[in-house]
């Protein structure tokens, strides 16, 4: 009698065939998305395992797209609009950019996106004096209201810290500058926009904790991207170094950006996280794209990983973009950067390993970068039902 293949697997030496689906989910959920893609090719059982809707909720998901704001032209109301563009550039939005599942507010700004959660600032009145922070998961439409501080309406930089592989709890970081804190103009320091106080909200405790930063002197641009990795929030400052603080607010690091060009005030350093590592992208001498990695975090040593001339990057077809583009994201699991170029805000990706530029779509002239906001927020869905609120 012919032996059943599955029975043969169970009796044979393949230990993976003996694992139940629950155990497999627990193991694979701890892997990065790039590794899970390889797992799909192991067998028919594994392919079906990954496609099962109950399992997909617990497994790592790919980069889905970007939230971004734009201006409505032709006297349309409201004056600004919110969009979601898929990373493929095709089809309708994966999530409704209006976030209509949230309570009704007069206006809403998305301030940050971290591992599937959004941090929103929601104004309850047209005069922008009464507000809430809301942390929400668009994939599950779950949300939590975070009470504002006395300074929230004047704060320019608020960011989110969340790592679902560690905990379902999150932290909100509010960087309060001297003017927002209420320091008299005659007593302001020469450091324009200096951060006076850091407020951290923990969903574990459900309260804000404030920490004076008298011994530090730095300012953070309004559009500085928050990079949360290994329980630490990183932000590029106005003074060519990265400020890093843990979720307790009691451990600080200031990481020098010691990479060329050393003294170019006009350069635009963009920091990202990919594959659990900090990356930095900038332009050298106006003609070359440089991508650095902080491979040794302890000694703060940046290693040049990729470099390409703008002529090679854009080629003859897109040569006009060389003078008008900005970095918006680094792929979380691949050596791919995303850029927006030209007056039509063309979204493109560049594979650093293959040195291949890929057109995604034109976002249009209405999608202009808004000063004072993080303009493009990469979004990776999180299908976990948990959203701890303390």
């Amino acid at each position: 009698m012919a032996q059943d293949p599955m029975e043969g697997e169970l009796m044979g030496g393949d230990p993976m065939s003996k694992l139940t689906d629950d155990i497999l989910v627990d193991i694979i959920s701890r892997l990065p998305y790039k590794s899970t893609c390889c797992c799909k090719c192991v067998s028919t059982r594994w392919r079906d395992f990954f496609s099962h809707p109950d399992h997909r909720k617990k497994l790592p998901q790919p980069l889905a797209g970007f939230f971004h704001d734009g201006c409505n032209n032709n006297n349309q109301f409201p004056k600004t609009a919110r969009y979601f563009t898929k990373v493929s550039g095709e089809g309708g939005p994966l999530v409704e950019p209006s976030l209509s599942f949230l309570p009704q507010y007069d206006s809403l700004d998305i301030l940050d996106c971290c591992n599937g959660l959004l941090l929103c600032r929601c104004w309850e009145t047209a005069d922008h004096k009464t507000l809430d922070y809301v942390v929400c998961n668009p994939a599950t439409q779950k949300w939590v209201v975070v009470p504002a501080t006395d300074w929230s309406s004047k704060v320019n930089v608020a960011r989110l810290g969340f790592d679902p592989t560690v905990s379902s709890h999150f932290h909100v970081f509010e960087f309060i500058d001297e003017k927002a804190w209420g320091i008299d103009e005659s007593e302001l320091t020469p450091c324009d926009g200096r951060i006076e106080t850091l407020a951290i909200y923990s969903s574990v405790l459900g309260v804000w904790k404030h920490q004076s930063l008298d011994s530090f002197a730095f300012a953070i641009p309004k559009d500085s991207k928050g990079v949360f990795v290994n329980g630490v929030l990183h932000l590029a400052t106005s003074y060519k170094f990265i400020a890093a603080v843990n979720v307790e607010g009691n451990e600080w690091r200031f990481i020098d950006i010691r990479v060329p060009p050393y003294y170019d005030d006009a350069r635009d350093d963009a920091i990202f996280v990919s594959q659990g590592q900090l990356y930095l992208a900038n332009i050298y001498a106006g003609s070359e794209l440089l991508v650095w990695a902080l491979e040794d975090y302890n000694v703060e040593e940046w290693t040049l990983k990729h470099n390409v001339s703008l002529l090679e990057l854009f080629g003859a077809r897109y040569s006009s973009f060389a003078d008008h583009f900005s970095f918006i994201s680094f792929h979380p699991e691949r050596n791919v950067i995303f850029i927006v170029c030209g007056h039509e805000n063309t979204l493109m990706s560049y594979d650093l390993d293959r040195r291949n530029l890929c057109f995604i779509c034109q976002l249009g002239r209405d999608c202009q970068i808004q000063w004072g906001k993080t303009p493009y927020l990469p979004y990776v869905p999180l299908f976990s039902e948990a959203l701890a609120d303390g």
Side-chain angles (χ1 to χ4, degrees):
M1 180 182 295
Q3 187 180 38
D4 181 86
M6 181 60 71
E7 182 182 351
E9 284 187 5
L10 293 175
M11 296 178 62
D14 179 12
M16 300 302 293
S17 64
K18 302 176 184 179
L19 297 179
T20 65
D21 283 0
D22 289 343
I23 295 176
L24 274 178
V25 168
D26 185 62
I27 294 173
I28 298 175
S29 65
R30 304 171 189 271
L31 299 176
Y33 176 72
K34 185 177 181 180
S35 298
T36 66
C37 291
C38 298
C39 293
K40 295 179 184 179
C41 304
V42 170
S43 66
T44 303
R45 178 204 172 192
W46 282 43
R47 182 197 64 195
D48 296 339
F49 167 84
F50 278 92
S51 63
H52 195 287
D54 290 341
H55 299 156
R56 288 181 61 193
K57 293 182 178 181
K58 303 176 183 179
L59 298 177
Q61 300 299 313
L63 176 66
F66 304 93
F67 286 96
H68 52 98
D69 289 338
C71 294
N72 279 326
N73 293 328
N74 302 321
N75 296 319
Q76 290 178 305
F77 183 83
K79 293 295 185 182
T80 59
R82 187 180 308 111
Y83 304 89
F84 183 87
T85 298
K86 287 183 178 179
V87 73
S88 66
E90 300 176 349
L94 177 71
V95 295
E96 186 182 356
S98 67
L99 306 179
S100 60
F101 63 89
L102 294 179
Q104 291 297 312
Y105 289 93
D106 281 356
S107 64
L108 180 151
D109 297 325
I110 301 178
L111 302 180
D112 198 11
C113 182
C114 185
N115 292 318
L117 298 188
L118 301 182
L119 172 64
C120 306
R121 182 156 50 191
C122 306
W123 305 95
E124 297 180 1
T125 59
D127 60 4
H128 282 191
K129 291 183 179 179
T130 306
L131 64 93
D132 291 318
Y133 288 117
V134 173
V135 175
C136 69
N137 183 343
T140 61
Q141 299 192 354
K142 303 292 184 181
W143 51 271
V144 173
V145 174
V146 174
T149 70
D150 293 339
W151 304 271
S152 297
S153 62
K154 301 177 182 178
V155 165
N156 291 320
V157 180
R159 298 293 181 259
L160 181 65
F162 172 66
D163 185 350
T165 65
V166 176
S167 171
S168 60
H169 285 280
F170 61 84
H171 294 79
V172 179
F173 298 78
E174 194 177 66
F175 294 85
I176 308 171
D177 64 31
E178 291 178 307
K179 291 183 179 179
W181 188 248
I183 294 179
D184 188 86
E185 290 192 7
S186 61
E187 300 178 0
L188 295 178
T189 64
C191 176
D192 186 31
R194 177 186 178 276
I195 302 301
E196 172 70 21
T197 301
L198 171 65
I200 301 178
Y201 177 87
S202 166
S203 67
V204 179
L205 303 175
V207 296
W208 288 93
K209 180 174 69 174
H210 293 77
Q211 176 191 12
S212 174
L213 303 182
D214 289 339
S215 57
F216 305 138
F218 65 94
I220 300 174
K222 296 179 181 179
D223 58 352
S224 181
K225 293 180 174 62
V227 174
F228 189 75
V229 59
N230 296 328
V232 176
L233 179 69
H234 303 76
L235 286 166
T237 70
S238 301
Y239 297 96
K240 307 310 176 189
F241 63 83
I242 296 170
V245 59
N246 69 345
V247 295
E248 300 297 331
N250 56 6
E251 293 183 9
W252 284 84
R253 293 189 70 168
F254 296 96
I255 304 171
D256 286 333
I257 303 177
R258 296 191 297 267
V259 299
Y262 296 105
Y263 303 108
D264 184 2
D265 294 335
R267 84 184 196 197
D268 181 19
D269 293 314
I271 62 170
F272 308 100
V273 63
S274 178
Q275 303 159 83
Q277 192 172 60
L278 275 180
Y279 283 84
L280 168 75
N282 64 5
I283 302 299
Y284 177 64
S287 61
E288 188 176 18
L289 165 64
L290 306 179
V291 177
W292 309 79
L294 191 61
E295 292 190 325
D296 193 331
Y297 194 89
N298 292 325
V299 300
E300 301 179 6
E301 182 176 342
W302 294 93
T303 302
L304 181 63
K305 302 295 290 186
H306 303 276
N307 65 299
V308 59
S309 71
L310 298 187
L311 180 61
E312 179 185 349
L313 171 63
F314 290 107
R317 182 177 181 182
Y318 299 110
S319 59
S320 62
F321 292 163
D323 296 326
H324 188 184
F325 75 97
S326 59
F327 306 105
I328 67 168
S329 183
F330 208 113
H331 195 287
E333 297 294 343
R334 296 164 51 200
N335 290 327
V336 174
I337 61 172
F338 294 89
I339 52 181
V340 171
C341 321
H343 297 294
E344 293 295 335
N345 293 293
T346 301
L347 176 61
M348 310 188 80
S349 65
Y350 183 74
D351 190 313
L352 296 165
D353 296 327
R354 299 179 180 179
R355 292 184 174 265
N356 177 49
L357 184 69
C358 179
F359 170 89
I360 298 177
C361 67
Q362 284 188 334
L363 302 175
R365 290 176 179 260
D366 290 354
C367 292
Q368 300 293 333
I369 294 177
Q370 300 297 296
W371 177 252
K373 300 178 182 178
T374 303
Y376 296 93
L377 296 171
Y379 173 67
V380 176
L382 175 68
F383 290 101
S384 171
E385 293 292 335
L387 180 57
D389 60 1

